[in-house]
Every structure is written in C-alpha cells, then in structure tokens.
C-alpha cells in the first residue's frame, strides 16, 4: 500500500511505459500511452489485473472474483478503471484474484 | 349477531358485527435474502464494505461537530497534531472466549466459561481503517458501552507512546427516515390541534412463544389468541382487538429444536412424532391467528432455520396449516423490515441485542437499541461474535433508512423509548419480551407511535 510497494511492483513488470504518473497508492491502473487491449499478451493482461488486485483502495481481493470486486467498487463509487472490466471480458484473463487458486 | 328466538322471531342484540381494520403492507426484506451461499469467503470483505458504506455518514457527522479539524487516514496521522480519524472499532477483551483456549494447558484460564458477560476493566478499544490500526486511550473513551464492529470517528492526538488520546467521539447517527404519513406528523410536538382517526389501528408484536415445552402453561398463549380473534372480553376489548391490523411474531416459535435435530431420517416413527409434536402445536396456534388477522412470523434462535444472521424464513412445509389459512401468513426473515401505511417497521428476533449485552456494560435493552440506531448498524458484533453470512457485496445490517419503529424480540422484559435524531427523526424503540417468560402482547399505535403492553398473566387463576 505504501509507495515503496508500488515502485517495486512496477519495476517487475516487463515493458512498462515510463509515462506513468507517480501517484499515491490506490490510483489504480491507467495505462498512460494506452496500448489497445487486444495488443497485450496474456502475461501483460495478468500483470495489469494483478495491479488491480493489489490496490487496497478497492478492498481485500482474496475470496472474491475480480469481477465481483470491480462491481463492488463501482457500487461503492470508488471509480475503478474501466480498462479492468475490459481486460476481464477477455477469455484469457483469470477471473480469480492472484491470491486464490 | 342474530339469535333465533323461540317464536321464530329473530332477536338481534342491537349491535353490528365488528370488522377488522385493514392497512396497506409492503415487504422490504430483499437485502436479507440469501441466494447462492458461498461459505469459504473471509469476513474481511464484509468489514471492508461496512466501513466504506458507513464512512461517508460518520465523516459528515464529524465534520458537523468539529468543522475545524481535518480527517486523515490512520496511517497518515502525525504525532501530537489534533486530527480526526474514522474507522471500525475493535474491542480487545481478555475474557472473550477464544477457540485457542482449548489448547491452553493452564486450566485456570477456564474461569470465563459460564459467564454471561465478558467485559472487564482492562478492555481496550482499537480503531482500524483499511490501512492501519491504533489503540484508543483517554478517559473520554466509553469502552464499556462500545462493541467491536461499530464504525466511529474520534478526535484527538497521537501520544509519543503511539496510542491515540481521544478528546471526542461521534458516530453516524440516525439515517434518513421515510416521510411519515399525515396522521403521524399531526401528532408530532409543535403541530396544530390533534385529529384522531377512529378507530385506532395497531400492530401487535410478540416473541418467544416457546411452544413445545412440556412443562409450560398453555393458557397465556390461548388467552392471547382468543383476545386477538375477538373471542375474549366485552365490546371495548373487541373494538381494540379489531383495530389490530397485523401481528408480528419476532422469533422464538419453538422452545427448542433439539428434538427435531435428533430425529433424523433413520429415527423410528415414535421419535419422529415426538419431535414434530411441538411444531404441530405451533402450527395449530398460528393457523388460528393467521385465520383471524395478517401474521408475520420471523425465525428465532431456537427455531428450525439457519443459525447465522440473516436467518431465512421458516419453510412453508414446517407450518402447513398456518400457510393455508385465510388472511395470509408472511414467513419473514430475521431481520424483518416492512411498511404498514407508510410507517416503516424494522425488527429482529433479539440475537443482536443479546450479543451486544454480552460484550458491553449495557443492561437496558432499549438503550442498546438506541445505540444501534446511533451507530447506524443493527448487528455490530457480527460477524465477530454473532454468526453472520460472509457477504462481500453488501452489509444488510447497515441502517441506511431509519425506521419509524425499531423492535427486538425475546428480551427479558418489556421496555420502550422514543429516540430523536438530529434531523428530526423520531423512532419508537420497543423491547418485546419473550412470551414464555413474560406473557405480553405489545400494541403499537400506527398513528401516534404510542405503544402499550397487554399482559396475559394466568398465575392469579391458581387459588
């Protein structure tokens, strides 16, 4: 949740664009250069969804599917990024949180 | 009532038959219904939702009281700066039974077993939000009258020891109340001359019938059924009884479901019949009532319904005669929310109040219900000590809408008070006693929200 976790997590992601604004933890995923959803491969999709799982602003991610968590965030007016819903609509994306298996 | 005279000349008693008053009814139990049941989810989801749902109201309450103070997250709070924190309270109680105590070799820690209250002077309150938690200290903190699960806002400063010294505390307070129908507002203080509508209409509340107990006296229950069906008393009592538009049994139909649980599929016919005897008696009593007036039945702690809150409605097969009877039996969930002529009722079977009394130094049940209205949550101790379903997308116990009447059944005695909110809300709080302990029927006047008990004590019958 702290900035240290965010920056270390960001470094792990392959091919990340540097144009991402250095914002407080909890800003969610927002690809600044916005590559189209179709151009991302499975690994990048999973990495972006993992970022959504790790964002504590939307609550604990364990035990709920990513879609349920996204819909709850919409219900609580937390404005989760719409890209996450688009990524979840892809057949290759894992519906469960990265902490569940 | 007409009577055929001996000379075949009909003689009337000169009085018209009384008809029962009617009132519109709307059910609001949707959020308590469980669809698919997933039990392997953690309760962190429920606590997160509760905090997010109540935080705007608590923050607004804090802003109204302490406009000059800024609200910060617990993790961002700076030492020795006056600030406001909002979070969920957790009460650390050393006497609270813990599953880990089974593994403790030292038997002296078994002293807490058999207690009915687990508070001690050493209890500490901890405030937790999504990021961090902090211990609350100071003489202002009302530790004895707070429980785990309440969302509150505290003002104070962090001490060098890392604890938060509280100077003031506030809660979400009462929510928005639906607009009262015209007769209610006419009776609020400060309005014009009172206009009474004849006859007065009532909702009857009772709970804890405790049917199936072999040693119990069946007379009080039969007296109550006769009273409500108009078979008891003179014209005055019958007029009063005809004003009862609906009856609600707030849990506690059976004395115990242990016999039902024991008689499994392989039990012999005699055990099965014995187990069902209590249920059949209850069904018979309810069918008499359901034939006379609209009836709502909520499940209680000892009833054959699920153990965790929200309890789902009793199955239709358990009450076949009552379900088929005339006026309509509503098998309601626990908690139960409904509207009668625009007056919003919300009630529980009492497990929530009993649990708060176990973990706080509060004895007056109506005071506990008033606190629940002010905390804006009807079961704060769930899921910590009160079993609850692990919701993730809602917390149905949050009191978004403030009711006009808030009641809890199966309490030790009758009690009532009027709670007023900051925005002019007025709530009639009723503590409905268990009928098997104190045979009482509570009548709540729909127009004035006045409430009075009718006792069916039969002890004086014995010489």
């Amino acid at each position: 949740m702290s900035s240290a976790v965010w920056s270390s997590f960001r470094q792990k992601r392959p091919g990340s664009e540097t144009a991402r604004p250095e914002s407080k933890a909890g800003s969610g995923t927002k690809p600044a250069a916005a590559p189209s959803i179709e151009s991302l491969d499975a690994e990048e999709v999973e990495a972006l969804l993992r970022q959504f799982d790790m964002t504590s602003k939307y609550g604990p991610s364990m035990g709920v599917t990513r879609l349920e968590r996204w819909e709850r965030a919409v219900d609580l007016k937390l404005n989760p990024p719409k890209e996450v819903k688009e990524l979840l609509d892809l057949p290759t994306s894992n519906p469960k949180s990265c902490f569940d298996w | 009532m007409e009577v055929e005279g001996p000379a075949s000349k009909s003689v009337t008693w000169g009085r018209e038959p009384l008809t029962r008053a009617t009132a519109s009814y709307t059910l609001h139990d949707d959020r308590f219904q469980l669809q698919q049941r997933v039990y392997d989810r953690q309760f962190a989801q429920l606590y997160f939702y509760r905090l997010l749902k109540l935080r705007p109201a608590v923050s607004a309450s804090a802003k109204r009281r302490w406009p000059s103070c800024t609200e910060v997250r617990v993790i961002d709070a700076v030492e020795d700066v006056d600030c406001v924190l909002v979070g969920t309270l957790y009460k650390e109680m050393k006497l609270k039974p813990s599953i880990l105590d089974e593994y403790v070799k030292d038997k002296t820690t078994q002293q807490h077993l058999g207690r009915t209250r687990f508070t001690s002077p050493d209890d500490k309150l901890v405030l937790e939000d999504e990021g961090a938690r902090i211990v609350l200290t100071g003489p202002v903190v009302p530790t004895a009258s707070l429980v785990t699960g309440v969302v509150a806002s505290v003002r104070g400063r962090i001490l060098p020891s890392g604890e938060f010294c509280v100077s003031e505390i506030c809660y979400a307070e009462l929510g928005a109340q639906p607009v009262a129908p015209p007769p209610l507002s006419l009776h609020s203080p400060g309005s014009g001359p009172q206009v009474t509508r004849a006859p007065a209409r009532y909702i009857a509340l009772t709970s804890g019938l405790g049917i199936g107990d072999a040693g119990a006296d069946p007379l009080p229950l039969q007296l109550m059924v006769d009273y409500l069906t108009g078979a008891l008393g003179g014209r005055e009592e019958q007029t009063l009884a005809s004003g009862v538009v609906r009856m609600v049994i707030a849990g506690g139909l059976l004395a115990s479901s242990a016999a039902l649980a024991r008689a499994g599929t392989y039990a012999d016919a005699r055990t099965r019949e014995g187990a069902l005897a209590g249920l059949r008696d209850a069904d018979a009593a309810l069918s008499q009532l359901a034939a006379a007036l609209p009836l709502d039945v909520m499940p209680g702690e000892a009833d054959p319904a699920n153990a965790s809150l929200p309890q789902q409605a009793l199955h239709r097969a358990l009450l076949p005669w009552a379900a088929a009877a005339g006026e309509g039996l509503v098998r309601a969930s626990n908690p139960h929310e409904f509207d009668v002529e625009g007056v919003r009722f919300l009630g529980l079977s009492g497990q929530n109040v009993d649990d708060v009394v176990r973990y706080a130094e509060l004895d007056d049940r109506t005071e506990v219900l008033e606190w629940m209205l002010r905390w804006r949550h009807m079961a704060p101790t769930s899921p910590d000590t009160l079993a609850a379903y692990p919701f993730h997308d809602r917390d149905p116990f949050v009191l978004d809408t403030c009711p006009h009447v808030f009641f809890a059944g199966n309490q030790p005695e009758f009690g009532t008070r009027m709670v007023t909110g900051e925005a002019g809300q007025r709530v009639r709080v009723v503590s409905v006693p268990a009928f098997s302990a104190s045979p009482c029927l509570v009548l709540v006047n729909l127009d004035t929200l006045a409430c009075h008990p009718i006792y069916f004590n039969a002890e004086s019958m014995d010489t």
Side-chain angles (χ1 to χ4, degrees):
Chain A
M1 193 207 75
S2 68
S3 319
V5 171
W6 262 99
S7 41
S8 69
F9 186 69
R10 238 174 254 154
Q11 280 153 21
K12 283 207 213 109
R13 205 158 31 84
S16 61
E17 52 273 71
T18 52
R20 190 175 304 276
E22 186 65 29
S23 51
K24 237 174 32 176
S27 62
T29 60
K30 201 86 167 150
S36 69
I37 299 290
E38 293 77 26
S39 71
L40 297 170
D41 61 8
E43 220 179 71
E44 288 170 337
V45 166
E46 180 60 21
L48 286 172
L49 286 175
R50 208 168 277 195
Q51 244 186 320
F52 174 66
D53 286 342
M54 303 276 270
T55 315
S56 64
K57 175 180 167 194
Y58 308 120
S61 65
M62 189 169 170
V64 276
T65 63
R66 284 165 168 165
L67 184 62
E68 281 173 343
R69 186 159 172 263
W70 187 87
E71 282 171 348
R72 177 181 68 193
V74 169
D75 187 42
L76 288 170
K77 300 190 178 45
L78 297 170
N79 295 319
K82 295 188 191 44
E83 288 81 11
V84 172
K85 177 78 160 51
E86 289 170 24
L87 287 170
L88 288 170
D89 286 333
L90 294 173
T92 50
S93 63
N94 185 0
K96 290 198 196 158
S97 151
C98 61
F99 297 107
D100 295 327
W101 57 87
Chain B
M1 207 163 68
E2 280 201 347
V3 169
E4 213 53 45
S8 76
K9 191 172 102 181
S10 57
V11 174
T12 64
W13 291 94
R15 290 184 178 176
E16 293 130 26
L18 284 168
T19 34
R20 188 176 293 279
T22 53
S24 67
Y25 175 78
T26 324
L27 199 55
H28 291 286
D29 274 352
D30 296 334
R31 67 184 197 270
F32 306 121
Q33 304 304 322
L34 297 174
Q35 279 80 36
Q36 90 265 40
R37 304 187 196 189
V38 176
Y39 284 102
D40 59 357
R41 192 176 284 135
Q42 300 218 352
F43 291 113
Q45 308 286 350
L46 176 58
Y47 276 117
F48 171 75
Y49 190 92
R50 183 185 299 178
L51 177 61
L52 271 275
K53 198 78 178 139
L54 283 173
R55 206 207 326 254
V58 178
S59 289
S61 189
K63 201 108 197 93
R64 273 200 305 273
R65 280 169 176 67
W66 318 309
S68 53
C69 220
T70 45
E71 183 192 314
V72 291
R73 290 272 191 272
V74 175
I75 203 155
D76 296 328
V78 178
E79 189 181 313
D80 203 35
V81 166
D82 194 28
C83 60
V84 168
L85 302 176
V86 174
T88 317
L89 291 173
Y90 177 76
K91 194 158 151 185
E92 284 177 2
M93 307 167 80
K94 71 168 198 279
L95 293 176
K96 188 166 112 177
S98 160
I99 192 83
L100 298 174
D101 292 338
E102 285 180 39
Y103 300 99
V104 172
K105 299 285 197 303
D106 183 4
K107 292 297 171 193
T108 55
T109 54
Q110 298 272 313
Q111 58 171 332
H112 65 251
L113 288 172
R115 279 173 165 266
T116 49
R117 175 164 277 163
F118 302 106
T119 55
S120 83
D122 311 327
D123 295 338
K124 270 201 313 228
L125 275 178
V126 179
L127 184 88
E128 223 178 274
D129 68 5
E130 306 101 308
R133 62 194 339 236
I134 193 159
V135 178
L136 303 179
T137 56
V140 177
V141 182
T143 315
S145 53
L146 281 169
V147 286
T148 301
V150 174
V151 177
S153 170
V154 288
R155 178 189 184 174
R157 52 188 69 224
I158 298 186
L159 300 172
S161 62
E163 296 183 329
F164 191 85
C165 182
V166 176
S167 60
E168 293 178 78
I169 185 165
C170 82
Y171 315 100
E173 295 293 323
L174 277 65
Q177 212 177 32
V179 176
L184 271 187
S185 45
L186 275 177
H187 283 281
S188 338
S191 60
Q194 304 205 331
V195 175
T196 43
R197 203 198 301 190
R201 292 181 299 179
Y202 301 95
I203 296 281
L205 300 173
T206 190
S207 73
L209 301 180
I211 300 172
D213 183 8
D217 187 4
L219 185 57
L221 179 60
Q222 197 51 47
L223 283 176
M224 183 186 73
V225 171
D226 287 340
Y227 178 80
L228 284 171
T229 53
L232 198 66
R235 193 73 179 177
E236 269 179 38
E237 282 81 18
Q238 286 177 331
T239 313
L240 192 69
S242 71
V244 176
V245 295
R246 180 166 286 269
M247 180 174 178
V248 180
I249 300 182
L253 206 58
L254 297 180
S256 137
S257 294
L260 277 171
R262 270 199 302 270
T265 334
Y266 301 105
D268 62 347
R270 204 169 61 185
T271 322
R272 273 214 296 273
E273 281 310 302
L276 288 174
L279 199 51
R280 293 228 173 85
D281 290 341
D283 197 17
L286 287 190
S287 64
Q288 279 183 284
L289 284 169
L293 79 166
L295 179 64
D296 286 8
V297 179
M298 294 162 58
E301 204 171 332
D303 287 334
N306 54 315
S308 57
L309 290 186
Q311 282 182 297
Q312 302 300 285
L314 293 166
H315 198 279
R316 193 176 197 274
L318 291 169
L319 306 167
W321 297 328
E327 288 290 319
L329 173 76
V330 172
R331 292 169 293 108
S333 58
N334 168 29
H336 181 36
E337 189 170 6
F338 60 97
D339 238 324
V340 177
E341 289 286 335
V343 181
R344 181 69 67 100
F345 284 74
L346 174 61
L348 295 105
S349 298
Q351 295 104 319
N352 57 336
V353 176
D354 293 339
D355 209 53
V356 170
V357 167
R358 246 174 253 145
Y359 295 98
E361 301 271 352
L362 296 167
D363 284 306
D364 184 356
R365 306 304 172 112
T366 54
E367 190 188 344
V368 173
L369 288 168
E370 178 175 350
W371 273 120
M372 286 177 176
L373 287 169
R374 298 209 183 277
W375 295 331
R376 214 183 275 204
H377 199 277
M378 42 174 161
T381 52
S382 76
D384 185 40
T385 45
L386 184 62
Y389 176 77
F391 291 102
H392 73 281
D393 58 348
R394 63 190 197 274
D395 183 349
F397 309 115
V398 170
L399 298 174
D400 284 326
T401 322
C402 183
H404 292 113
V405 179
F406 188 42
F407 63 91
N410 295 293
Q411 300 304 303
E413 57 182 16
F414 168 72
T416 183
R417 63 168 68 183
M418 202 65 164
V419 174
T420 45
E422 293 174 335
Q425 303 99 324
R426 289 176 71 230
V427 188
R428 164 65 64 192
V429 161
V430 188
S431 149
V432 182
F435 201 84
S436 45
S438 166
C440 170
L441 184 73
V442 179
L443 294 186
V444 178
N445 188 320
L446 271 185
D447 299 322
T448 62
L449 290 187
C451 144
H452 68 271
I454 300 181
Y455 287 96
F456 296 97
N457 284 318
E459 294 100 23
S460 53
M461 303 283 288
D462 300 325
T463 48

